[in-house]
Amino acid sequence: MSTIQRARCRLRAHPFALDAALAAGVLVCMVAGSFVDPHGPHGVTWELSTPDPLSLTLMALGAAALVLRRRAPRAVLALTGAASVVESVTGDPRAPVAMCVVVALYTVASTTDRPTTWRVGLLTMTVLTGTAMIAGPLPWYAQENLGLLAWTGIGATAGDAVRSRRAFVQAIRERAERAERTREEEARRRVAEERLRIARDLHDVVAHHIALVNVQAGVAAHVMDKRPDQAKEALAHVREASRSALGELRATVGLLRQSDDPEAPTEPTSGLDRLDELAGTFRSAGLRVLVAREDQGPALPAAVDLAAYRVIQEALTNVQKHAGSEANAEVSVVRVGPHIEITVLDDGTGAGGHDDGGQGTGHGGGHGLLGMRERVTALRGTLTTGPRFGGGFRVHAILPVEPRTSTAQDGP
């Protein structure tokens, strides 16, 4: 920090001392100006004579009032204006007491609004100039009278310009702070949404594959002694399910890597194109799954495709875990206009209930249906779940294929 900057910081920290120094400087300028006689026989002359005692008193009074210009700007302006009026009527030769008025008027203009500046400035110029022209010892057209008009106008204009600049700088600072707060809030919101999405993906992957591993491991343990071939087949399914779980976990956790890592995927790869493979994993675990599809059309957006796959995966996982060993499941994927409808039905009679995540539709303690609902709601879709009449459970999801913004723009 330079010497000038340090001095400026100290003066800003002590405004009363700054005003006192300003008042002293104005007083020196007024006293020095009082020795100049612009009406000498040979033009402007310097006379080494002492000014009138009244003029000295008025100059000292006006300069002393400037010390309080920040605390009471209008009162200081009234006091200095009165001193200038008195000097204009009685001073001969004139002393520049109006310098105090210019500084006081600048202070008022820099601390108030523009309409008030206009009113106070016009009143000050009218009173000082009118008094000097009408009651002063000089002719009304004297340059000193015109100087009063010019200098008071300059003081008001300069103060208004400073006030406008301060307001502009403050507005820019507030806008920058507001933008910074908005950026931070948006960053926190995006991080929270990303964490929630990754948590849903991890739940879907782990719940699905671990359920299959659990079923196949139970089958292998049950038939290990009597039917070792079937046990080997069950263990092969366990190995395949665990390999798939590791692959999907690797893809999901890869989202947390650095963005410049070329091996890190940017989105999970699951979608409805793997629906038959998904159904096959459940069939190999002993669940009878029937799949019906009528979803021909343009490719689905990646987010919708992934959400549809995860809804079906979680619904079938709940059937496997809670519907009983004799349950049958039906999966329907139908494209209806700008939406795609996902329906998963089962006829199970298991007493465990579905994994409702505390939604009140079953007795499960997990977050399966809650995760499905969050995933569907994030895409502005709807999810309906509940028991079927006569037994079983129903999961029905409607996902918009087209973004909501484009649909809104097509409307009236």
Side-chain angles (χ1 to χ4, degrees):
M1 182 179 295
S2 63
T3 304
I4 297 178
Q5 291 177 340
R6 285 196 298 268
R8 184 179 300 174
C9 292
R10 291 175 183 175
L11 290 176
R12 288 179 178 176
H14 303 85
F16 186 80
L18 177 61
D19 291 339
L22 175 64
V26 172
L27 179 60
V28 171
C29 292
M30 287 190 297
V31 172
S34 64
F35 287 96
V36 179
D37 184 9
H39 302 286
H42 304 289
V44 178
T45 61
W46 286 84
E47 296 183 0
L48 299 178
S49 60
T50 304
D52 294 337
L54 179 60
S55 297
L56 287 175
T57 303
L58 293 175
M59 286 187 287
L61 180 62
L66 293 179
V67 178
L68 303 176
R69 68 186 186 94
R70 296 179 191 266
R71 300 182 181 180
R74 298 190 184 185
V76 171
L77 176 61
L79 181 60
T80 55
S84 181
V85 167
V86 173
E87 198 280 331
S88 298
V89 175
T90 61
D92 189 15
R94 296 272 294 275
V97 181
M99 291 181 62
C100 299
V101 182
V102 174
V103 176
L105 184 57
Y106 165 85
T107 304
V108 172
S110 64
T111 57
T112 187
D113 53 77
R114 181 163 294 173
T116 303
T117 299
W118 276 96
R119 290 194 295 268
V120 173
L122 288 176
L123 178 62
T124 303
M125 286 188 291
T126 301
V127 171
L128 293 184
T129 307
T131 302
M133 289 182 176
I134 297 173
L138 299 177
W140 67 270
Y141 54 83
Q143 60 181 3
E144 286 86 348
N145 298 335
L146 299 179
L148 282 176
L149 181 65
W151 281 107
T152 51
I154 291 174
T157 304
D160 183 70
V162 170
R163 180 197 57 78
S164 299
R165 182 181 180 279
R166 289 174 182 170
F168 178 73
V169 172
Q170 182 65 23
I172 292 178
R173 185 179 295 111
E174 291 178 356
R175 189 180 302 115
E177 293 175 354
R178 186 164 53 251
E180 184 66 23
R181 289 195 301 268
T182 303
R183 271 197 304 270
E184 292 177 357
E185 293 172 358
E186 179 68 15
R188 286 194 294 267
R189 184 185 66 81
R190 289 181 179 274
V191 168
E193 290 180 353
E194 187 66 14
R195 290 177 60 186
L196 181 61
R197 187 172 71 86
I198 293 175
R200 284 197 299 260
D201 288 338
L202 290 176
H203 173 271
D204 293 342
V205 171
V206 172
H208 164 58
H209 291 290
I210 295 303
L212 294 181
V213 168
N214 180 57
V215 171
Q216 295 294 346
V219 172
H222 182 70
V223 301
M224 179 66 71
D225 297 331
K226 298 180 180 180
R227 287 176 287 179
D229 293 339
Q230 188 174 354
K232 290 181 180 180
E233 182 180 355
L235 291 176
H237 288 308
V238 169
R239 183 176 59 185
E240 183 65 26
S242 62
R243 183 184 296 113
S244 299
L246 289 175
E248 293 201 28
L249 283 174
R250 187 179 298 111
T252 303
V253 175
L255 296 173
L256 303 178
R257 297 178 181 175
Q258 297 295 328
S259 59
D260 57 352
D261 187 353
E263 297 181 358
T266 57
E267 290 290 339
T269 57
S270 301
L272 290 179
D273 56 340
R274 297 179 56 187
L275 181 57
D276 293 335
E277 178 183 346
L278 177 66
T281 60
F282 283 101
R283 293 190 187 104
S284 64
L287 178 65
R288 292 177 289 276
V289 181
L290 177 63
V291 178
R293 300 184 62 172
E294 289 291 338
D295 57 336
Q296 294 80 9
L300 296 176
V304 177
D305 197 21
L306 175 62
Y309 179 87
R310 293 305 189 195
V311 167
I312 297 173
Q313 182 186 51
E314 181 60 32
L316 292 178
T317 301
N318 284 342
V319 175
Q320 179 73 40
K321 291 167 59 178
H322 305 295
S325 58
E326 300 298 325
N328 299 309
E330 299 179 5
V331 179
S332 172
V333 181
V334 180
R335 193 158 183 165
V336 181
H339 300 85
I340 186 167
E341 297 188 10
I342 311 295
T343 306
V344 180
L345 307 174
D346 71 79
D347 56 0
T349 58
H354 277 252
D355 182 10
D356 62 351
Q359 296 301 307
T361 56
H363 305 287
H367 299 82
L369 295 186
L370 178 60
M372 280 194 286
R373 192 176 306 279
E374 291 175 347
R375 190 184 295 276
V376 172
T377 303
L379 297 175
R380 301 181 182 272
T382 57
L383 178 72
T384 305
T385 61
R388 300 174 61 194
F389 180 76
F393 202 81
R394 177 177 182 268
V395 175
H396 180 68
I398 301 177
L399 297 172
V401 176
E402 300 177 359
R404 181 66 59 89
T405 55
S406 62
T407 304
Q409 291 175 355
D410 296 338

